[in-house]
């Protein structure tokens, strides 16, 4: 996992976008916000909307990575972004590509939705999350503005990473 995180650190170190409060954008705006960060680092990975049941709950995909963006039903803002991937056993090459894609989407999400996090802190932060999740199956860390939760179920092969605005609380 560390070589992938080293790539992530190098890739997103220069891609820093400052916005007022990105969580003020409604869930249907996620792809529009994140895709420029993906383009900026030179990846061909793009996020596309797969459904929006209501303006407060949208699903996206980026290859095999699933993304769910949720806000409260009474206000057009984002409260939580969940990035998820399911790994298949026995295919190390596919697993490596999937973790690369997952971390690339997470990196772009961090650049856009957590612009206050120092560039050099992002990689360190992910190493902390990853190490804790691999040792105990889950991890929680807060930046100044965002709560991050990572869980990995070794049996199902499902990895879930959630970024939630601290102003909404988290659970």
């Amino acid at each position: 996992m560390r070589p992938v995180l080293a790539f992530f650190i190098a890739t997103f170190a220069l891609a820093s976008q400052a916005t007022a409060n990105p969580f003020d954008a409604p869930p249907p705006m996620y792809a529009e916000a994140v895709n420029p960060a993906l383009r900026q680092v030179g990846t061909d990975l793009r996020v596309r909307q797969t459904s929006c049941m209501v303006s407060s709950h949208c699903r996206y995909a980026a290859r095999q990575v699933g993304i769910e963006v949720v806000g409260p039903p009474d206000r057009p803002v984002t409260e939580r972004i969940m990035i998820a991937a399911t790994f298949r056993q026995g295919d190390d090459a596919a697993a490596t590509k999937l973790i690369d894609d997952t971390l690339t989407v997470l990196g772009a999400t961090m650049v856009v939705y957590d612009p206050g996090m120092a560039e050099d802190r992002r990689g360190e932060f992910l190493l902390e999350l990853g190490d804790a999740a691999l040792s105990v199956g889950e991890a929680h860390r807060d930046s100044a503005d965002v709560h991050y939760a990572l869980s990995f179920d070794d049996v199902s092969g499902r990895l879930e990473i959630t970024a939630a605005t601290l102003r909404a609380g988290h659970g």
Side-chain angles (χ1 to χ4, degrees), residues 24-124:
D24 285 342
M29 301 301 292
Y30 176 78
E32 186 177 316
V34 170
N35 281 331
L38 292 169
R39 274 191 294 280
Q40 188 175 354
V41 296
T43 180
D44 65 347
L45 187 65
R46 295 294 178 270
V47 171
R48 64 180 171 73
Q49 189 179 84
T50 58
S51 71
C52 252
M53 293 163 246
V54 291
S55 64
S56 63
H57 188 190
C58 297
R59 294 180 190 271
Y60 296 85
R63 293 190 189 120
Q64 299 286 309
V65 178
I67 304 121
E68 184 174 325
V69 184
V70 179
D74 60 334
R75 292 188 336 243
V77 298
T78 297
E79 287 186 338
R80 185 179 73 244
I81 301 163
M82 185 179 72
I83 300 165
T86 301
F87 295 85
R88 291 181 177 81
Q89 291 184 350
D91 191 348
D92 291 345
T96 299
K97 179 67 175 150
L98 186 53
I99 195 71
D100 285 349
D101 287 352
T102 304
L103 290 177
T104 300
V105 170
L106 176 60
T109 301
M110 289 174 84
V111 165
V112 173
Y113 285 84
D114 199 0
M117 182 184 286
E119 294 172 12
D120 58 342
R121 177 71 178 120
R122 288 185 193 122
E124 182 182 317

